């Protein structure tokens, strides 16, 4: 992976510490309060507090003063800081934060049940579906989680999220006879806790554009 990306895995306590809640803005606090499960709210608070601390250290401001906003397409950005890129994901009991000097996307996924993996897998690129079908049945859910994490990390890096068709890009394991992965991006698996899969996508150039749909 390129030298200009930094990754952090975040775990949480339950309930979240008051100091973590204190650095969140009003919208983040409302979002945290909307979770029905306390563990989900705690992870959200810890992940967003960690992001604010990391960005604040990089920008030289207090965590509560980091000016976060969303672009028209929904991508979260630091207002007025075009050279500071970040991405955040949380699932299960783990969160992943990525910071870089160019577009970056990260994703962490709790390995789903077999039925969920099969249903969601139908939306993937044909070559990805073929790879999953070739796996032993006991390995398909974990293989799906790794593939889905790469897919979401890449789409977050593009800034499209799931608005872009899931079958438009190939993020499979590669090999002879397989399509190439998207040009202009480096996409790698990230080691993480058992029962989870994670990935990071980093643009090779600062001004990476969204490719045409396949």
């Amino acid at each position: 992976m390129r030298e200009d990306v930094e990754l952090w895995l975040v775990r949480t306590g339950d309930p979240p510490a008051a100091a973590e809640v204190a650095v969140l803005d009003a919208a983040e606090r409302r979002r945290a309060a909307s979770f029905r499960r306390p563990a989900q709210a705690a992870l959200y608070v810890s992940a967003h507090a960690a992001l604010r601390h990391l960005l604040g250290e990089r920008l030289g401001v207090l965590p509560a003063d980091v000016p976060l906003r969303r672009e028209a397409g929904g991508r979260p950005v630091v207002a007025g800081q075009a050279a500071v890129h970040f991405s955040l994901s949380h699932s299960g009991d783990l969160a992943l934060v990525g910071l870089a000097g160019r577009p970056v996307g990260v994703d962490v996924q709790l390995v789903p049940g077999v039925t969920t993996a099969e249903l969601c897998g139908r939306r993937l690129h044909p070559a990805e579906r073929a790879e999953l079908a070739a796996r032993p049945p006991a390995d398909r859910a974990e293989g799906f989680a790794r593939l889905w994490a790469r897919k979401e990390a890449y789409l977050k890096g593009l800034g499209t999220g799931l608005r872009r068709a899931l079958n438009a890009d190939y993020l499979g394991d590669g090999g002879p006879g397989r399509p190439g992965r998207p040009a202009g991006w480096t996409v790698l698996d990230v080691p993480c806790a058992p029962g989870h899969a994670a990935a990071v996508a980093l643009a090779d150039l600062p001004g990476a554009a969204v490719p045409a749909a396949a």
Side-chain angles (χ1 to χ4, degrees), residues 17-57:
E20 293 179 320
V21 178
V23 304
L24 304 184
D25 64 20
E28 289 168 324
R29 293 181 191 183
R30 287 194 298 270
R31 175 60 176 154
S34 71
F35 288 99
R36 294 185 177 181
R37 293 176 53 197
Q40 291 177 316
L43 180 60
Y44 177 91
V45 170
S46 293
H48 284 255
L51 173 65
R52 283 185 167 275
H53 278 282
L54 292 167
L55 288 172
E57 182 178 354

